[in-house]
Amino acid sequence: MSGRLFVEALACRETPRRPLWIMRQAGRYLPEYRELRARYSFEQLCASPELAAEVTLQPIRRFPLDAAIIFADLMSPLAALGVSFHFDPGPVMERPLRTADQIDALREPAPGEIAPEVPAALRLVRAELPDEVALLGFAGAPLSLAAYLVEGRGSRGGFPALRALLAREPELFDRLLARLARLSADYLIEQVRAGADAVQVFDTWAGLLSRRDWRRHVRPHLVALLERLGEAGVRRILFVNDAPHLIGDYAALPAEAIACDWRLDLAEVRTLVGPDRAVQGNLDPAILGAGPEAKRRAARELLAAVPRRGHVVNLGHGILPDAPIESVHALIETVHREADAR
Amino acid sequence: MSGRLFVEALACRETPRRPLWIMRQAGRYLPEYRELRARYSFEQLCASPELAAEVTLQPIRRFPLDAAIIFADLMSPLAALGVSFHFDPGPVMERPLRTADQIDALREPAPGEIAPEVPAALRLVRAELPDEVALLGFAGAPLSLAAYLVEGRGSRGGFPALRALLAREPELFDRLLARLARLSADYLIEQVRAGADAVQVFDTWAGLLSRRDWRRHVRPHLVALLERLGEAGVRRILFVNDAPHLIGDYAALPAEAIACDWRLDLAEVRTLVGPDRAVQGNLDPAILGAGPEAKRRAARELLAAVPRRGHVVNLGHGILPDAPIESVHALIETVHREADAR
């Protein structure tokens, strides 16, 4: 088994210390990533298995992290539906999905047709990754993918076109989310076949809807996705971002681990999730910008508040482009010191 | 007393029907507003008491709304601190506040120096406004103002520079919020002197921090602002946006009414707020885009779920620029029909 420390923590078994990885750990805060980006566009890095594998491995070469997450874009699998988008700098759809004709015309790709460059990159990474480091795949949750597809782009205003679609045509909204749940399930199962030890489902825009609407129109599709993965034996981390009103509901969903953003008290989430499943998170990424000492203090507080068993340490959101490397070292040292202290 | 229906509802007394107003009711969805904007910039509309008064009155001439809210920008009072910003299209600070030197150098304006065009516009509106329509002033809550000042602009990433400032220099963060609480209090008291029947404190970015950080570093300043207004006899509506993890705390703050966004169940907020204070909200503005019938259905559901006494009907966020006028009529009709049904 590769990535033993990580996999044991996901299974909520005792480990000598907590595993640690960092959301967006392959990214702009690394000079070696910026160097690659000077030569290749973001799309080029995603499209080439070799380049995506190289970017995935960059933070692993620099830091003793316990997991590598494949470098890809949340939108990558959507091309297989037959939709077109470009980046400016976030994803922009050529034609946002607003009508039944558009949604019912989405292609039903075979699993091998869904962003095949991502499983290919996973195979390359697996061949080079030290055995003790876990390899993670990922995909978007149905609502978060639908948000981009319907709105047509990222939105500060809470994706009003998506919310209007739900109000106007709830059955169509359901059809779209069911379609996206199938897509993400197929895609993630392919990623595990290609060598991923576990996958993270990103529900980046989990908090757009009221709890009532979420329970009626989002939960069933998220459950379908997670159950399908569970039946395939896939280890699941479910990341719920910026949806504190739904955390009780998310904590009850079938996943090996629940990950959450920095707004929530992870000790409380730990209680909601129950003793037999893991939690992941949730240091505020902005604290890295406050320097190594602030980082150490925050990490020590988190370790004191959340029991070790079944805790994967991470930030509560992606690391920021201006995060200083020395703050990342301070975070890693603080987490590693726990093993020495025993 | 002007704006009787509205003021009675804020006092949680029985009213023949619920009062209704719409956040951002003076805005781009109105053709007459777009016409003015073709001739004047947003800054020009805000800077001129005559133009701001005209914009404030536009929705009142078109719809039988129960309150007018003064047209101004959330940033307007900040100029009195000696900071400079422009709009692109949201506010952009010339020099974001990041250091003690900058924050301690902020001016302490006399109340009459804080955006004097806003009280001037309120006087003009009051003179023209039908007596039965309430007039509302507004200002930003300390955290939401600090978010712009420190980050330098609106931010999708949850204002990481603000969060880093809190992690790095919590005392400085506290000094800034205390300063902004005094500014907003002075500004709002001037607005009431100029004719506002009540004020709304907008905590647009209420949800940036964990509950622990919020209680330590935000709550004291928000309480100071609200208590100062209460001592001055000002009727207070506190709008808490996108902070479901804090709603229990916000519901306990001293204000005549708690307003919240569409994510929350207003019937639950009503219970948290208690029987003697009002609630305001919280229809999803995106539903207006789904057409009059969806709007009527959502409004009827809200009216059925929340008792009439002490409920001011509103959207849960600003009306969207593409909202159809006929959906606004449908909303108003549905709310007005409640009086007929009795």
Side-chain angles (χ1 to χ4, degrees):
Chain A
M1 179 172 67
S2 53
R4 177 176 295 272
L5 179 73
F6 190 91
V7 168
E8 293 284 307
L10 270 196
C12 226
R13 285 192 282 265
E14 288 287 351
T15 50
R17 66 166 173 82
R18 301 167 212 233
L20 165 70
W21 68 285
I22 295 174
M23 282 196 278
R24 223 178 288 157
Q25 63 191 17
R28 284 206 161 272
Y29 75 107
L30 288 176
E32 55 270 34
Y33 176 84
R34 293 196 298 272
E35 214 168 277
L36 266 184
R37 276 288 280 109
R39 290 154 55 204
Y40 302 100
S41 70
F42 177 73
E43 292 93 318
Q44 285 174 315
L45 293 183
C46 291
S48 152
E50 291 73 21
L51 290 172
E54 169 59 24
V55 173
T56 302
L57 288 162
Q58 282 180 341
I60 306 302
R61 296 199 188 106
R62 189 185 268 271
F63 306 116
L65 294 161
D66 300 303
I69 184 161
I70 195 67
F71 182 80
D73 192 72
L74 209 65
M75 304 289 280
S76 296
L78 299 179
L81 298 175
V83 300
S84 307
F85 50 89
H86 64 277
F87 290 85
D88 176 32
V92 180
M93 297 277 296
E94 308 299 332
R95 284 180 60 221
L97 299 185
R98 304 281 169 90
T99 69
D101 282 353
Q102 285 177 290
I103 289 169
D104 293 332
L106 293 174
R107 288 191 58 233
E108 287 269 0
E113 294 176 302
I114 305 168
E117 68 279 13
V118 175
L122 280 158
R123 284 188 197 92
L124 296 176
V125 173
R126 184 74 279 171
E128 279 203 48
L129 197 66
D131 193 54
E132 68 271 21
V133 180
L135 179 54
L136 304 182
F138 78 89
L143 178 68
S144 294
L145 294 175
Y148 287 110
L149 287 170
V150 175
E151 200 70 34
R153 61 188 311 152
S155 152
R156 292 177 204 224
F159 296 90
L162 179 78
R163 284 151 41 213
L165 177 69
L166 173 58
R168 198 174 65 235
E169 296 184 75
E171 303 78 13
L172 182 59
F173 180 96
D174 278 331
R175 284 214 295 287
L176 175 60
L177 263 69
R179 187 71 204 75
L180 294 169
R182 290 200 299 279
L183 180 80
S184 284
D186 288 344
Y187 178 49
L188 288 169
I189 290 169
E190 287 297 302
Q191 291 185 47
V192 170
R193 287 195 182 131
D197 298 299
V199 300
Q200 178 153 315
V201 175
F202 281 86
D203 217 349
T204 310
W205 300 107
L208 296 175
L209 303 179
S210 70
R211 194 169 60 211
R212 198 181 62 161
D213 281 342
W214 183 88
R215 284 179 176 170
R216 282 186 196 168
H217 298 289
V218 179
R219 188 183 187 286
H221 309 293
L222 198 47
V223 168
L225 164 62
L226 294 167
E227 288 186 343
R228 175 100 191 282
L229 296 175
E231 285 157 16
V234 175
R235 299 183 188 97
R236 304 152 293 185
I237 306 167
L238 175 61
F239 174 57
V240 49
N241 185 50
D242 201 3
H245 57 311
L246 303 177
I247 188 62
D249 288 276
Y250 271 86
L253 291 174
E256 278 62 40
I258 301 295
C260 66
D261 65 85
W262 75 86
R263 290 170 192 85
L264 292 175
D265 182 331
L266 194 63
E268 288 179 16
V269 175
R270 159 42 82 213
T271 305
L272 290 171
V273 164
D276 300 327
R277 296 188 304 141
V279 293
Q280 179 181 287
N282 75 339
L283 292 159
D284 186 343
I287 294 177
L288 290 168
E293 199 31 62
K295 183 76 267 178
R296 272 192 207 96
R297 194 169 52 234
R300 279 196 300 261
E301 283 179 9
L302 179 69
L303 300 191
V306 178
R308 192 181 63 248
R309 193 166 67 82
H311 179 204
V312 177
V313 181
N314 204 322
L315 306 184
H317 208 269
I319 189 168
L320 294 161
D322 60 356
I325 299 284
E326 62 268 30
S327 289
V328 176
H329 280 298
L331 169 61
I332 293 172
E333 274 166 33
T334 308
V335 172
H336 281 204
R337 197 157 294 157
E338 205 184 11
D340 306 337
R342 297 184 73 210
Chain B
M1 178 172 66
S2 53
R4 175 176 297 271
L5 179 73
F6 190 92
V7 168
E8 293 284 307
L10 270 197
C12 227
R13 286 192 282 265
E14 288 288 351
T15 51
R17 65 166 173 83
R18 303 167 210 233
L20 166 70
W21 69 284
I22 296 174
M23 283 196 277
R24 223 178 288 157
Q25 64 192 17
R28 284 206 162 271
Y29 75 107
L30 289 176
E32 55 270 33
Y33 176 84
R34 294 196 298 271
E35 213 168 278
L36 266 184
R37 276 288 279 109
R39 289 154 56 204
Y40 303 100
S41 70
F42 177 73
E43 292 94 318
Q44 286 174 314
L45 292 183
C46 291
S48 151
E50 291 73 22
L51 289 172
E54 170 59 25
V55 173
T56 302
L57 288 162
Q58 282 180 341
I60 305 302
R61 295 197 189 107
R62 189 185 270 271
F63 306 115
L65 294 160
D66 300 303
I69 184 161
I70 195 67
F71 183 80
D73 191 72
L74 209 64
M75 303 290 280
S76 296
L78 299 178
L81 299 174
V83 300
S84 306
F85 50 89
H86 64 276
F87 291 84
D88 176 32
V92 180
M93 297 276 298
E94 307 300 332
R95 285 181 59 220
L97 299 184
R98 304 280 169 91
T99 68
D101 282 354
Q102 284 177 291
I103 289 169
D104 294 332
L106 293 174
R107 288 191 61 233
E108 287 269 359
E113 293 176 301
I114 306 168
E117 68 277 13
V118 175
L122 280 158
R123 282 187 198 94
L124 295 176
V125 174
R126 183 74 280 170
E128 279 204 48
L129 197 65
D131 193 54
E132 68 272 19
V133 181
L135 178 54
L136 304 181
F138 78 90
L143 178 68
S144 293
L145 294 176
Y148 286 109
L149 287 170
V150 174
E151 200 71 34
R153 59 188 312 151
S155 153
R156 292 179 204 221
F159 297 90
L162 178 79
R163 285 151 41 211
L165 177 70
L166 172 58
R168 198 173 64 234
E169 297 185 74
E171 304 77 14
L172 182 59
F173 180 97
D174 277 332
R175 285 215 295 287
L176 176 60
L177 263 68
R179 185 73 205 73
L180 294 169
R182 291 200 298 279
L183 181 80
S184 283
D186 287 345
Y187 178 49
L188 288 169
I189 290 168
E190 287 297 303
Q191 291 184 47
V192 170
R193 286 195 183 131
D197 298 299
V199 301
Q200 178 152 316
V201 175
F202 280 86
D203 217 349
T204 310
W205 301 107
L208 296 175
L209 302 178
S210 69
R211 194 171 61 211
R212 198 181 61 162
D213 281 341
W214 183 88
R215 284 179 177 170
R216 283 186 194 167
H217 298 288
V218 179
R219 188 183 186 286
H221 309 293
L222 199 46
V223 168
L225 164 61
L226 294 167
E227 287 185 344
R228 176 97 192 284
L229 295 175
E231 286 157 16
V234 174
R235 299 182 189 98
R236 303 153 294 185
I237 305 166
L238 176 59
F239 174 57
V240 50
N241 184 49
D242 200 4
H245 56 313
L246 304 176
I247 187 64
D249 288 276
Y250 270 88
L253 291 174
E256 278 63 39
I258 301 295
C260 64
D261 64 86
W262 74 88
R263 290 170 192 83
L264 293 175
D265 181 331
L266 194 64
E268 288 180 17
V269 175
R270 158 45 78 213
T271 304
L272 289 171
V273 163
D276 300 328
R277 297 186 305 141
V279 293
Q280 179 181 285
N282 72 341
L283 292 159
D284 186 343
I287 295 176
L288 291 168
E293 198 31 62
K295 183 76 266 177
R296 272 192 207 97
R297 195 171 50 235
R300 280 195 300 260
E301 283 179 10
L302 178 69
L303 301 191
V306 178
R308 192 179 64 248
R309 193 166 66 82
H311 180 205
V312 177
V313 180
N314 204 321
L315 306 185
H317 206 269
I319 189 168
L320 293 161
D322 61 357
I325 299 285
E326 62 268 30
S327 288
V328 176
H329 280 297
L331 169 62
I332 293 172
E333 273 167 33
T334 308
V335 172
H336 282 204
R337 197 157 296 157
E338 205 184 11
D340 305 338
R342 295 185 73 210

